[in-house]
Amino acid sequence: MSMKAIVKSVISGDSLLLRGSPGPQGQIPKERVLHLADIQAPRMGTASREDEDWAFESREFLRALTVGKPITFTSTHSLPPSDDVPRDIGTAEVNGVDLATELLRNGWAKLKDLKRDPTEEDLRKRDIEAEARTAGKGIWNPHGPKARKTNYMMPTDSQGFLAEYKGQLIEGLVEQVKDGSTLRIRLIMPDGDHQFVNIALAGVRSPRVASKSGEASEQWGEEAKFFTESRLLQRYVKVNLLSLPNAAPTPFQAGANATAPPPATIFIGSVLHPAGNIAEHLVSAGLARVVDWHAGMLASSGGMERLRAAEKTAKEKRACLYANAPAPSAKTNGAALNGNSRSFDATVVRIWSADQISVVERDTGKERRLQLSSTRGPKISDPKQAYWAQEAREFLRKRLIGKHVKVHVDFIRPREGEFEEREAATIRYGGQNTNVAEQLIEKGLATAVRHKRDDEDRSPDYDKLMAAEQLAASEGRGMHSGKDMPAPKQPLNISESAHRATTFVNGFRRLGRIPAVVEYVAAGSRFKIYLPKDNQVLTLVLSGIRAPRTARNASEASEPYGAESAEFATRRYMQRDVEIEIHDADKSGGFIGALYLNKTENAAITLVKEGLATVHPYSADNLSWAKQLYEAEEEAKRAKRNIWKGYDEAAEQAEEAPKEDANGPLKTEYMDVIISDVRTKPQLAFSIQILNTEGIASLEKLMREFSLYHKTAAPAPAGFVPRAGDLVSAKFSDGQWYRARVRRASPIKKEAEVTFIDYGNQDTVGFSDIRPLDPRFRSLPGQAHDARLSFVKLVSPESDYHDEAVDRFRQLCEGRKLIANIDHKEGQLLHLRLIDPSNPSVASDPCECINVELVREGLATVDKKGCRYLSAYPSMTKKLQEAILTAKRDRAGMFEFGDVEEDD
């Protein structure tokens, strides 16, 4: 009686393992062994004995012919069962082809010696065997089998084997399925040898299957095993070895004296069939769960994302292992959480620890303290972790403080013991929307939290975090280095007493600006400053201003706007990289000085401008930036900001004395300048740079960066046409690039007239030498100021002495460091009195200046029309009249041939 079955596997060239079809409820089908009657093939080897000659080739022929296919077989004799599996001797056909005949025809089996009289069928088979022997087919090949070594045991040097073949796709034949996610595979090595390996599928784990009698398999274990067997057993696959199963040591536990690991019994890898990755199919069918800690092996190739998608599909279908999976959390799709926005733009205002920060929402101004999702930073309280805790906190500070970030609140971590309820969020920053937690973990400065299997409250980038941690561990970064780093030393508090502070003042004065970090904001004008270079902390009180006091405890009351002033300073300066200048020390050990953000922003001026501090005249008047302080206060008064909310300008003006008219004298204020450009048409004018200011120092740095930028910067975009008023980068005649403003442009001539805003030069530049000004170079105002001489003008261009006058002015002024006083302002044009500091007469006579010198030499005249403020300076008027008399007496310049008519 013939029966039907499916070939599960081929044991050797003459034996097959058969199975039936699954039951109506998906029951696992029964199996039986069939030995083909009257033939004998070479026996396959084991770990204790080698293959017989041609054994693999013989089995391979029968495997390719039958595995996975339905066959019709007839049992002629039953043998005793083995492990409850029935055994038969008989015949079998595939698609009407007799298997024994095919094996004999191709020389992969031979007939046994018969103990019966041969039948007609036996004689036919002997003829077929004889033909194969004569043709030298299969086992009858006179040259013998190809030399090959078969290693049935795992490689002894598992680390070395993995290092050699990791990431390569090796052809293999699945020899055994131990459970749904554990396979025994024969690798066909490049040199032709065969190497058996045990493979655990990367990223998944199926339920265990009983390996001993009396044991029970885990639920769905047998189904998972059958799922894999029916698809992969004795099929060729591609194997990608990824890792060994030994888990990475926990940070701070990995010692330098760790012993070498024993030989591995299994590799972790991916098994790829032409139909796809079996791991993904297992998960999709609900017959395996995703293994989180494998994410590091699969995340970079997208494998983990595909597994998560398969897991989602299985959960939606509630298939097998996921039959009782909890429904997806409703909050994951909500727009708000506890009444707060889930996704929002914010600015980072404080770094609390290696995994906690505070941000201020852009739209609402609300401050929120956030935990980085699925991230655990080292603890500052643990001496072993303190060094890395500080490194992690500093890493976050440098990358995030004061920066714009995108926040998505993933879940709320409930209150637990001494830990308060906390929003857990993914923080992204920069143009690439980088997840800062992933960066932190990749540097070895934090670890990914190990969530429970069904814990859905986790980072959406959890697999990437795991991958980052594995990378950090494999390369020994940060906490994974195994090094015992000493805890950081406590910084020295040099503001502990007035005596200690005083000893540092002179040294700080000589240093000028000192790089520092704002560690804490005690009040609007009082800061705790950390000096990283010397590991010192000090208290800094801002010079020239007074901010409202804030309450130091619950029993005190803050002055009006004290809290607002402190909050503003906290959000703007807390934990920022700054520069400080020290002027003096107070009686309590605090240092009095200035604080600069981004090198140009003076914190005192900013607070005054915001109406959160007032000018303290006694200390402000001695400062080089006192004028800016008073101007900032006037601006705050006009805008009625904060402290000045109830300010009545009319009432204050009524109390003040009437001010001078527009042509009145200005307050004497000497400044160091240099003439950066001289222009003679339509009349003499020049540009100056004011020295010893924040702007000039910033300009020097900007020009260094500007020069480096233009060595590699891309050319102007195609079709770029500069327009009047545009800020641009333009190449000057010296071949260097400078910041400039377009005065006018001619698309026809493809050239533009520009003014170089930091030096005052003007030039006509072709469009090919003009580029849009990169935003990073726009913040610093132009450092060139347009100016003319106060009180006087050079002789007219029609005069024979005009060229001599211009040359003399250049000789006296151009490229030299001079002292200047602003006598009048005509919009943005400064009327300047220029003083040569090397002239000994200047010390005794403040009116002695280059302006007067040019008149005395007959090369300039008093400009009564252009300088209507002349009468406001009687001393200068007298000095100029004396200069004119001297020029006439000496017949200097234009007076060489007598009196010349002067301007009325």
Side-chain angles (χ1 to χ4, degrees), residues 409-549:
V409 179
D410 303 316
F411 58 92
I412 293 181
R413 193 181 70 184
R415 183 184 182 94
E416 185 177 345
E418 61 183 33
F419 299 105
E420 297 180 358
E421 180 181 273
R422 184 84 65 229
E423 290 179 316
T426 298
I427 312 292
R428 302 184 189 278
Y429 75 102
Q432 303 298 320
N433 278 338
T434 306
N435 183 348
V436 74
E438 184 180 351
Q439 277 197 331
L440 195 67
I441 293 173
E442 195 175 76
K443 295 284 185 183
L445 299 175
T447 57
V449 174
R450 269 47 175 179
H451 291 284
K452 294 179 181 178
R453 188 172 66 190
D454 295 323
D455 185 3
E456 297 295 332
D457 286 341
R458 60 176 67 188
S459 167
D461 289 353
Y462 185 67
D463 294 331
K464 292 182 180 179
L465 301 186
M466 293 295 295
E469 181 173 339
Q470 185 180 21
L471 177 63
S474 64
E475 298 190 1
R477 297 176 184 172
M479 299 186 297
H480 306 281
S481 65
K483 298 177 182 177
D484 291 330
M485 304 300 292
K489 293 181 179 179
Q490 286 296 318
L492 175 67
N493 183 6
I494 59 176
S495 287
E496 188 176 37
S497 66
H499 175 72
R500 174 179 283 184
T502 303
T503 61
F504 286 90
V505 170
N506 288 334
F508 284 154
R509 284 176 180 166
R510 286 193 297 270
L511 289 174
R513 291 196 182 188
I514 305 166
V517 178
V518 177
E519 195 164 276
Y520 182 70
V521 178
S525 60
R526 195 173 186 87
F527 304 86
K528 183 179 181 182
I529 302 293
Y530 174 60
L531 306 181
K533 183 179 179 182
D534 301 309
N535 195 31
Q536 297 170 341
V537 292
L538 58 86
T539 299
L540 177 70
V541 182
L542 297 182
S543 299
I545 67 169
R546 181 188 179 280
R549 289 186 59 186

Side-chain angles (χ1 to χ4, degrees), residues 351 391-403 429 436 517 532 575-577:
I351 309 298
E391 288 289 301
R393 185 169 176 265
E394 183 67 3
F395 176 88
L396 290 179
R397 187 190 71 80
K398 287 185 174 179
R399 274 162 177 72
L400 296 186
I401 200 71
K403 303 289 178 60
Y429 75 102
V436 74
V517 178
Q575 294 183 329
R576 300 290 191 92
D577 287 312

Side-chain angles (χ1 to χ4, degrees), residues 96-129:
V97 177
D98 181 71
L99 296 183
T101 301
E102 281 300 297
L103 285 161
L104 291 170
R105 179 176 287 116
N106 288 277
W108 294 120
K110 60 184 179 180
L111 285 170
K112 293 180 180 178
D113 294 332
L114 300 178
K115 297 179 181 180
R116 65 173 188 272
D117 292 334
T119 65
E120 185 178 334
E121 179 66 18
D122 293 336
L123 294 174
R124 187 181 70 82
K125 288 181 178 179
R126 284 195 185 280
D127 291 341
I128 293 173
E129 180 186 45

Side-chain angles (χ1 to χ4, degrees), residues 158-159 244 246 259-264:
S158 48
Q159 284 281 8
L244 291 171
N246 27 326
T259 57

Side-chain angles (χ1 to χ4, degrees), residues 104-411:
L104 291 170
R105 179 176 287 116
N106 288 277
W108 294 120
K110 60 184 179 180
L111 285 170
K112 293 180 180 178
D113 294 332
L114 300 178
K115 297 179 181 180
R116 65 173 188 272
D117 292 334
T119 65
E120 185 178 334
E121 179 66 18
D122 293 336
L123 294 174
R124 187 181 70 82
K125 288 181 178 179
R126 284 195 185 280
D127 291 341
I128 293 173
E129 180 186 45
E131 289 176 8
R133 183 187 298 114
T134 302
K137 292 182 179 180
I139 62 176
W140 310 113
N141 188 326
H143 301 293
K146 180 181 177 182
R148 174 179 57 242
K149 183 178 180 182
T150 302
N151 300 305
Y152 284 93
M153 303 297 291
M154 281 280 290
T156 305
D157 182 9
S158 48
Q159 284 281 8
F161 188 85
L162 178 65
E164 184 175 357
Y165 295 106
K166 183 176 181 179
Q168 300 181 29
L169 290 179
I170 308 173
E171 188 175 35
L173 183 65
V174 178
E175 296 282 5
Q176 182 185 358
V177 177
K178 298 184 178 182
D179 60 47
S181 58
T182 308
L183 313 176
R184 182 166 170 80
I185 299 179
R186 178 194 295 261
L187 296 181
I188 314 300
M189 305 308 295
D191 59 4
D193 288 348
H194 292 185
Q195 174 66 60
F196 277 72
V197 293
N198 299 322
I199 299 289
L201 296 179
V204 302
R205 181 188 177 278
S206 290
R208 287 187 60 221
V209 174
S211 58
K212 299 177 182 177
S213 59
E215 282 187 354
S217 298
E218 294 179 356
Q219 186 182 19
W220 302 108
E222 296 290 349
E223 288 81 357
K225 178 182 179 182
F226 176 73
F227 184 94
T228 303
E229 275 184 341
S230 62
R231 289 161 174 78
L232 292 190
L233 184 61
Q234 287 202 338
R235 271 75 160 189
Y236 275 99
V237 294
K238 296 290 185 181
V239 178
N240 184 8
L241 300 179
L242 297 174
S243 177
L244 291 171
N246 27 326
T250 305
F252 313 116
Q253 292 183 350
N257 299 321
T259 57
T265 58
I266 196 167
F267 290 114
I268 298 171
S270 297
V271 175
L272 307 176
H273 185 270
N277 186 334
I278 188 63
E280 295 169 19
H281 292 288
L282 275 167
V283 175
S284 182
L287 294 172
R289 294 186 185 276
V290 177
V291 177
D292 291 335
W293 72 271
H294 286 185
M297 311 171 198
L298 300 172
S300 61
S301 63
M304 210 64 187
E305 291 181 18
R306 293 189 290 273
L307 288 178
R308 294 295 185 194
E311 181 183 49
K312 182 180 179 183
T313 300
K315 287 181 177 180
E316 290 172 350
K317 294 188 298 186
R318 296 191 175 275
C320 302
L321 289 169
Y322 299 99
N324 300 316
S329 175
K331 72 181 181 183
T332 57
N333 299 319
L337 202 62
N338 285 1
N340 294 322
S341 301
R342 277 185 77 86
S343 297
F344 54 92
D345 289 355
T347 302
V348 179
V349 294
R350 188 164 185 177
I351 309 298
W352 292 94
S353 65
D355 52 22
Q356 287 189 27
I357 67 173
S358 282
V359 302
V360 172
E361 288 189 50
R362 279 281 182 93
D363 294 338
T364 65
K366 181 180 179 181
E367 184 171 329
R368 294 167 72 170
R369 184 166 173 173
L370 305 171
Q371 168 85 34
L372 297 181
S373 290
S374 302
T375 306
R376 179 174 290 117
K379 297 178 180 178
I380 195 74
S381 57
D382 185 341
K384 288 186 176 180
Q385 303 183 39
Y387 173 84
W388 300 112
Q390 183 165 301
E391 288 289 301
R393 185 169 176 265
E394 183 67 3
F395 176 88
L396 290 179
R397 187 190 71 80
K398 287 185 174 179
R399 274 162 177 72
L400 296 186
I401 200 71
K403 303 289 178 60
H404 168 250
V405 296
K406 293 185 180 295
V407 179
H408 180 78
V409 179
D410 303 316
F411 58 92

Side-chain angles (χ1 to χ4, degrees), residues 702-712 736-737 777:
L702 180 142
M703 289 309 300
R704 288 194 296 271
E705 296 174 353
F706 201 66
S707 177
L708 291 173
Y709 171 82
H710 280 282
K711 287 181 180 178
T712 57
Q736 300 298 313
W737 292 83
F777 302 117

Side-chain angles (χ1 to χ4, degrees), residues 39-57:
I39 66 171
Q40 180 179 349
R43 295 177 66 196
M44 297 292 290
T46 64
S48 58
R49 61 178 171 80
E50 295 184 356
D51 292 356
E52 293 181 359
D53 287 350
W54 302 107
F56 177 74
E57 290 80 1

